[in-house]
Amino acid sequence: AIKRDPAYAEPYRELGLLNEAKEKYTEAIGNLEKYLELNPQGKDARYVRSKIAKIKDTIVKKETSKK
């Protein structure tokens, strides 16, 4: 879907959530941020922003626990 229409936001959201589930946090954030770039006023934009914050918090926690 992204190759066919790179301006279509929904696939980026789905990829972001999938990447989060696979613990590919950097990719998740990138895809979710792209979703918001394309659809900043979407009905779930608030949810996606909170998801990004949660993922960033997870990254910090993982890095802190390694020390």
Side-chain angles (χ1 to χ4, degrees), residues 8-54:
Y8 181 52
E10 196 62 31
Y12 292 102
R13 179 186 180 279
E14 297 305 315
L15 272 175
L17 297 175
L18 181 63
N19 285 328
E20 179 197 14
K22 292 181 173 184
E23 297 185 4
K24 294 182 176 182
Y25 299 121
T26 303
E27 292 91 339
I29 291 170
N31 283 306
L32 293 172
E33 287 177 341
K34 182 67 175 179
Y35 169 79
L36 289 174
E37 176 186 321
L38 295 171
N39 192 19
Q41 303 303 318
K43 64 182 178 184
D44 63 347
R46 175 187 256 169
Y47 167 77
V48 173
R49 285 185 185 91
S50 71
K51 196 58 124 160
I52 292 169
K54 179 183 170 203

